[in-house]
Amino acid sequence: MKVLLLGSGGREHALAWKLAQSPRLTKLYAAPGNPGIAEHAECVALDPANPHAVLAFARDMEVGLVVIGPEAPLVAGVGDLLRDNGVLVFGPDATAAQLEGSKGFTKDLCTRESIPTAAYARVTDIAAARAALTGFGLPVVIKADGLAAGKGVVIAMTADEADAAIVDMFDGSFGDAGTEVVIEEFLTGEEASFFAITDGTAVVPFGSAQDHKRVGEGDTGPNTGGMGAYSPARVLTPELEARAMAEIVEPTVRAMAAAGMPYSGVLYAGLMLTADGPKLIEYNARFGDPECQVLMMRLEDDLLDLLLKVAEGRLGESTPPRLADTVALTVVMAANGYPGTPEKGGAISGIAGAEAHGAKVFHAGTALAGDTLVASGGRVLNVTATGASVADAKTAAYRAVDAIAFPSGFCRRDIGWREVERESNGTA
Ligand code: AMP
Ligand code: GLY
């Protein structure tokens, strides 16, 4: 079967690497892809967020399945147009992708279905926001409603900070994402990412991970797309995972189907593990990046088979995906300046050496300048390794990191630290 993969980051490299292991794959196309993905796919110059261009390509090349990596094509309606035209696609329709695209939509769904989440208010102007704020304690969380590339969330410690955040969001700094604002109760606990795949009816767990969103060691400094991750996140125990499925994910899938917008694809639940159990922080309508990279390292099943079952609505016929017992850990090597203005064009070498001992280096933001591999984005490489424990996987990943020469880049040295601490003091 021919497959078209949309996207160009480390998540898509991991998906391409795993898809390429399927005996059913005859040809993989990637749009636009990157130099790492090019090892497994023919990269094509096609705008992945242009539904008509994607449909035309899929038809011309007789593509049997389109796999959508990032959120932009989902929100642009690529899934809808493909499905309407009988092309199998992994990824939800635009209306279903509102679970990621609109925080207000998701919060209202949680209220209707009694899904545990932070108390909240939706507001559309400054006066209403100020009035609503009086109902919340401190700290308080203020979010632009729409997609703001992870930057539309402020945790205000004081009333002045809360007011400043509100003024900021309504003054247009987030574009359309800031025309509505959600004010939320601040939740305390440890965060975990939980994944499930669903064909709109059947839904099965697809593993857990924990990522590090802050740029600095000890989880300090500005938010990023993620500086590293490991899987599984044992803090999400089997009991808590069962609760997350029963109390959060399953009611969501049922409610979406009942509302006439069945959700098909991967549902990524950002959870806060509070003293009262797991609560939903947010949904994403795609695999996490870099969480996908660690999940793919652990997946024992044929990825193409699984994604096809989802796309065909046959997930109920199969057994749940099997993930290896080993731990996978990935370290993001980023370009200096990230998450502000990353320095582009820095040379990278040493990847073959890094992979010599079983690590896998996924390309996230790379390009070729002649024969030289260079940085072309903020997050550049995802250096990924496995081990019997988080500590072992971490040692193997950093050994590989140290084999790479990327003078204009940096990485955190403490990925997985919470779990490494628990392992070393016997509380893991
Ligand atoms: P989001 O974009 O909704 O995932 O929020 C980004 C980050 O802000 C989350 O990963 C959390 O660390 C934090 N956050 C969001 N909402 C809350 C909340 N209600 N309570 C505490 N932290 C939150
Ligand atoms: N790593 C966080 C995300 O993919 O949203």
Side-chain angles (χ1 to χ4, degrees), residues 66-409:
V66 178
V67 178
I68 303 179
E71 60 273 31
L74 300 171
V75 174
V78 171
D80 307 55
L81 191 71
L82 292 171
R83 234 173 239 116
D84 288 350
N85 286 278
V87 178
L88 288 176
V89 53
F90 180 82
D93 285 349
T95 43
Q98 283 182 90
L99 281 179
E100 169 163 1
S102 166
K103 295 183 191 295
F105 174 88
T106 300
K107 294 301 272 187
D108 288 353
L109 181 133
C110 287
T111 304
R112 284 196 306 275
E113 305 301 323
S114 306
I115 291 171
T117 189
Y120 70 104
R122 293 176 76 168
V123 289
T124 50
D125 61 62
I126 294 190
R130 286 187 171 137
L133 264 182
T134 59
F136 291 85
L138 286 170
V140 63
V141 185
I142 298 167
K143 301 181 177 181
D145 180 71
L147 293 174
K151 290 174 187 137
V153 177
V154 173
I155 296 175
M157 305 307 287
T158 66
D160 284 349
E161 274 175 41
D163 201 75
I166 281 165
V167 171
D168 237 34
M169 286 194 192
F170 282 117
D171 84 356
S173 32
F174 295 95
D176 282 347
T179 53
E180 181 173 328
V181 164
V182 176
I183 302 176
E184 274 184 32
E185 163 201 13
F186 178 78
L187 298 173
T188 3
E190 191 165 330
E191 280 180 60
S193 304
F194 176 53
F195 299 86
I197 53 172
T198 171
D199 60 8
T201 312
V203 50
V204 293
F206 200 83
S208 64
Q210 197 168 49
D211 85 337
H212 294 270
K213 290 206 171 84
R214 305 299 188 108
V215 74
E217 276 163 26
D219 296 319
T220 54
N223 254 322
T224 71
M227 294 300 294
Y230 69 91
S231 172
R234 296 205 197 281
V235 62
L236 187 73
T237 60
E239 293 72 31
L240 291 177
E241 179 177 312
R243 280 187 69 179
M245 276 299 280
E247 297 172 17
I248 298 175
V249 174
E250 287 169 358
T252 300
V253 170
R254 275 199 304 271
M256 293 297 285
M261 38 184 150
Y263 185 97
S264 171
V266 57
L267 195 52
Y268 157 2
L271 303 177
M272 187 71 87
L273 306 179
T274 73
D276 302 328
K279 292 193 179 181
L280 181 71
I281 299 175
E282 61 156 1
Y283 272 130
N284 294 303
R286 50 176 176 79
F287 280 111
D289 187 346
E291 292 95 324
C292 183
Q293 290 81 313
V294 284
L295 292 175
M296 290 306 127
M297 290 290 275
R298 294 182 54 225
L299 181 65
E300 292 179 326
D301 293 315
D302 183 325
L303 179 65
L304 177 51
D305 228 39
L306 272 174
L307 302 187
L308 258 180
K309 286 205 173 96
V310 169
E312 293 171 339
R314 292 192 299 112
L315 190 60
E317 295 167 15
S318 66
T319 48
R322 289 168 308 148
L323 296 168
D325 267 342
T326 49
V327 173
L329 184 142
T330 188
V331 177
V332 172
M333 296 182 83
N336 287 341
Y338 181 73
T341 308
E343 187 179 326
K344 290 191 181 167
I348 302 158
S349 61
I351 290 183
E355 291 186 331
H357 302 286
K360 181 72 203 158
V361 180
F362 296 114
H363 292 229
T366 66
L368 283 170
D371 285 340
T372 310
L373 189 68
V374 298
S376 67
R379 295 187 293 174
V380 177
L381 299 173
N382 310 135
V383 184
T384 315
T386 55
S389 62
V390 178
D392 284 354
K394 183 179 173 194
T395 303
Y398 282 106
R399 191 194 319 130
V401 163
D402 291 335
I404 292 174
F406 177 27
S408 63

